[in-house]
mmCIF file of all heavy atoms in Angstrom:
data_model
loop_
_atom_site.group_PDB
_atom_site.id
_atom_site.type_symbol
_atom_site.label_atom_id
_atom_site.label_comp_id
_atom_site.label_asym_id
_atom_site.label_seq_id
_atom_site.Cartn_x
_atom_site.Cartn_y
_atom_site.Cartn_z
ATOM 1 N N TYR A 102 -113.704 98.013 -112.164
ATOM 2 C CA TYR A 102 -113.805 98.106 -113.658
ATOM 3 C C TYR A 102 -115.196 97.449 -113.980
ATOM 4 O O TYR A 102 -115.362 96.190 -113.846
ATOM 5 C CB TYR A 102 -112.719 97.452 -114.331
ATOM 6 C CG TYR A 102 -112.668 97.737 -115.761
ATOM 7 C CD1 TYR A 102 -112.117 98.882 -116.264
ATOM 8 C CD2 TYR A 102 -113.289 96.859 -116.728
ATOM 9 C CE1 TYR A 102 -112.094 99.114 -117.669
ATOM 10 C CE2 TYR A 102 -113.168 97.057 -118.127
ATOM 11 C CZ TYR A 102 -112.702 98.187 -118.570
ATOM 12 O OH TYR A 102 -112.628 98.500 -119.897
ATOM 13 N N HIS A 104 -117.893 95.802 -116.141
ATOM 14 C CA HIS A 104 -117.997 95.205 -117.480
ATOM 15 C C HIS A 104 -118.990 94.197 -117.601
ATOM 16 O O HIS A 104 -118.998 93.295 -118.517
ATOM 17 C CB HIS A 104 -116.554 94.641 -117.693
ATOM 18 C CG HIS A 104 -116.157 93.386 -116.801
ATOM 19 N ND1 HIS A 104 -116.329 92.122 -117.204
ATOM 20 C CD2 HIS A 104 -115.652 93.442 -115.610
ATOM 21 C CE1 HIS A 104 -115.989 91.362 -116.164
ATOM 22 N NE2 HIS A 104 -115.552 92.149 -115.234
ATOM 23 N N LYS A 148 -122.247 96.132 -124.435
ATOM 24 C CA LYS A 148 -121.814 96.095 -123.022
ATOM 25 C C LYS A 148 -121.304 97.502 -122.639
ATOM 26 O O LYS A 148 -120.637 98.165 -123.504
ATOM 27 C CB LYS A 148 -120.685 95.140 -122.802
ATOM 28 C CG LYS A 148 -121.097 93.737 -122.383
ATOM 29 C CD LYS A 148 -120.074 92.982 -121.794
ATOM 30 C CE LYS A 148 -118.892 92.598 -122.745
ATOM 31 N NZ LYS A 148 -118.026 91.661 -122.171
ATOM 32 N N LEU A 150 -118.697 99.724 -120.397
ATOM 33 C CA LEU A 150 -117.485 99.477 -119.677
ATOM 34 C C LEU A 150 -117.106 100.807 -119.108
ATOM 35 O O LEU A 150 -116.961 101.797 -119.745
ATOM 36 C CB LEU A 150 -116.385 99.049 -120.704
ATOM 37 C CG LEU A 150 -116.784 97.825 -121.577
ATOM 38 C CD1 LEU A 150 -115.905 97.782 -122.819
ATOM 39 C CD2 LEU A 150 -116.557 96.524 -120.822
ATOM 40 N N PHE A 158 -109.755 95.661 -117.667
ATOM 41 C CA PHE A 158 -110.495 94.508 -117.819
ATOM 42 C C PHE A 158 -109.760 93.338 -117.186
ATOM 43 O O PHE A 158 -108.595 93.274 -117.305
ATOM 44 C CB PHE A 158 -110.780 94.275 -119.320
ATOM 45 C CG PHE A 158 -111.737 93.242 -119.679
ATOM 46 C CD1 PHE A 158 -113.110 93.518 -119.702
ATOM 47 C CD2 PHE A 158 -111.423 91.919 -119.807
ATOM 48 C CE1 PHE A 158 -114.127 92.643 -119.973
ATOM 49 C CE2 PHE A 158 -112.405 90.929 -120.057
ATOM 50 C CZ PHE A 158 -113.713 91.311 -120.145
ATOM 51 N N HIS A 162 -107.493 88.035 -122.720
ATOM 52 C CA HIS A 162 -108.351 86.942 -123.356
ATOM 53 C C HIS A 162 -108.640 87.177 -124.825
ATOM 54 O O HIS A 162 -108.282 88.229 -125.246
ATOM 55 C CB HIS A 162 -109.682 86.891 -122.620
ATOM 56 C CG HIS A 162 -110.516 88.077 -122.864
ATOM 57 N ND1 HIS A 162 -110.295 89.375 -122.429
ATOM 58 C CD2 HIS A 162 -111.652 88.268 -123.713
ATOM 59 C CE1 HIS A 162 -111.140 90.207 -122.845
ATOM 60 N NE2 HIS A 162 -112.031 89.683 -123.696
ATOM 61 N N ASP A 164 -112.110 86.586 -127.413
ATOM 62 C CA ASP A 164 -113.514 86.502 -127.199
ATOM 63 C C ASP A 164 -114.049 85.045 -127.559
ATOM 64 O O ASP A 164 -113.531 84.455 -128.510
ATOM 65 C CB ASP A 164 -114.319 87.570 -128.006
ATOM 66 C CG ASP A 164 -114.218 88.888 -127.304
ATOM 67 O OD1 ASP A 164 -113.452 89.081 -126.364
ATOM 68 O OD2 ASP A 164 -115.022 89.866 -127.633
ATOM 69 N N ILE A 172 -114.818 97.916 -129.804
ATOM 70 C CA ILE A 172 -115.027 98.678 -128.477
ATOM 71 C C ILE A 172 -114.864 100.116 -128.899
ATOM 72 O O ILE A 172 -113.870 100.627 -129.446
ATOM 73 C CB ILE A 172 -113.921 98.351 -127.493
ATOM 74 C CG1 ILE A 172 -114.077 96.848 -127.101
ATOM 75 C CG2 ILE A 172 -114.060 99.048 -126.246
ATOM 76 C CD1 ILE A 172 -112.913 96.042 -127.546
ATOM 77 N N LYS A 179 -108.176 104.878 -123.105
ATOM 78 C CA LYS A 179 -108.001 103.539 -122.643
ATOM 79 C C LYS A 179 -106.908 102.894 -123.597
ATOM 80 O O LYS A 179 -106.932 103.050 -124.752
ATOM 81 C CB LYS A 179 -109.235 102.739 -122.769
ATOM 82 C CG LYS A 179 -109.212 101.382 -122.176
ATOM 83 C CD LYS A 179 -110.501 100.829 -121.674
ATOM 84 C CE LYS A 179 -111.521 100.704 -122.834
ATOM 85 N NZ LYS A 179 -112.843 100.080 -122.420
ATOM 86 N N PHE A 181 -105.087 99.610 -125.289
ATOM 87 C CA PHE A 181 -105.192 98.187 -125.561
ATOM 88 C C PHE A 181 -103.839 97.627 -125.887
ATOM 89 O O PHE A 181 -103.006 98.281 -126.487
ATOM 90 C CB PHE A 181 -106.154 98.007 -126.811
ATOM 91 C CG PHE A 181 -107.602 98.182 -126.479
ATOM 92 C CD1 PHE A 181 -108.151 99.383 -126.439
ATOM 93 C CD2 PHE A 181 -108.349 97.041 -126.107
ATOM 94 C CE1 PHE A 181 -109.457 99.524 -126.096
ATOM 95 C CE2 PHE A 181 -109.637 97.119 -125.794
ATOM 96 C CZ PHE A 181 -110.211 98.484 -125.882
ATOM 97 N N HIS A 242 -106.459 90.140 -126.150
ATOM 98 C CA HIS A 242 -106.403 91.656 -125.873
ATOM 99 C C HIS A 242 -106.632 91.886 -124.347
ATOM 100 O O HIS A 242 -107.305 91.065 -123.648
ATOM 101 C CB HIS A 242 -107.550 92.358 -126.685
ATOM 102 C CG HIS A 242 -108.913 91.733 -126.595
ATOM 103 N ND1 HIS A 242 -109.304 90.545 -127.267
ATOM 104 C CD2 HIS A 242 -110.072 92.149 -125.920
ATOM 105 C CE1 HIS A 242 -110.578 90.337 -126.951
ATOM 106 N NE2 HIS A 242 -111.149 91.290 -126.194
ATOM 107 N N SER A 243 -106.118 92.991 -123.974
ATOM 108 C CA SER A 243 -106.338 93.459 -122.561
ATOM 109 C C SER A 243 -106.481 94.986 -122.683
ATOM 110 O O SER A 243 -105.966 95.556 -123.566
ATOM 111 C CB SER A 243 -105.079 93.051 -121.684
ATOM 112 O OG SER A 243 -104.091 93.891 -122.078
ATOM 113 N N ALA A 244 -107.238 95.501 -121.779
ATOM 114 C CA ALA A 244 -107.500 96.924 -121.799
ATOM 115 C C ALA A 244 -107.245 97.566 -120.552
ATOM 116 O O ALA A 244 -107.647 96.965 -119.457
ATOM 117 C CB ALA A 244 -109.011 97.156 -122.138
ATOM 118 N N SER A 252 -116.901 103.367 -122.172
ATOM 119 C CA SER A 252 -116.930 102.853 -123.583
ATOM 120 C C SER A 252 -118.033 101.719 -123.703
ATOM 121 O O SER A 252 -118.499 101.362 -122.659
ATOM 122 C CB SER A 252 -115.561 102.267 -124.013
ATOM 123 O OG SER A 252 -115.004 101.469 -123.051
ATOM 124 N N CYS A 254 -119.003 97.972 -125.975
ATOM 125 C CA CYS A 254 -118.408 96.910 -126.749
ATOM 126 C C CYS A 254 -119.481 95.919 -127.262
ATOM 127 O O CYS A 254 -120.455 95.705 -126.585
ATOM 128 C CB CYS A 254 -117.529 96.214 -125.738
ATOM 129 S SG CYS A 254 -116.922 94.568 -126.160
HETATM 130 O O1 AKG B 1 -112.505 96.639 -121.452
HETATM 131 C C1 AKG B 1 -112.415 96.541 -122.604
HETATM 132 O O2 AKG B 1 -112.385 97.490 -123.319
HETATM 133 C C2 AKG B 1 -112.257 95.258 -123.286
HETATM 134 C C3 AKG B 1 -113.649 94.447 -123.231
HETATM 135 C C4 AKG B 1 -113.532 93.130 -123.686
HETATM 136 O O3 AKG B 1 -112.489 92.566 -124.096
HETATM 137 C C5 AKG B 1 -114.683 92.189 -123.587
HETATM 138 O O4 AKG B 1 -115.646 92.580 -123.103
HETATM 139 O O5 AKG B 1 -114.545 91.005 -123.953
#
Side-chain angles (χ1 to χ4, degrees):
Y102 190 83
H104 65 96
K148 270 197 294 188
L150 306 159
F158 192 83
H162 66 288
D164 283 11
I172 299 114
K179 188 156 60 173
F181 281 88
H242 52 287
S243 71
S252 48
C254 165

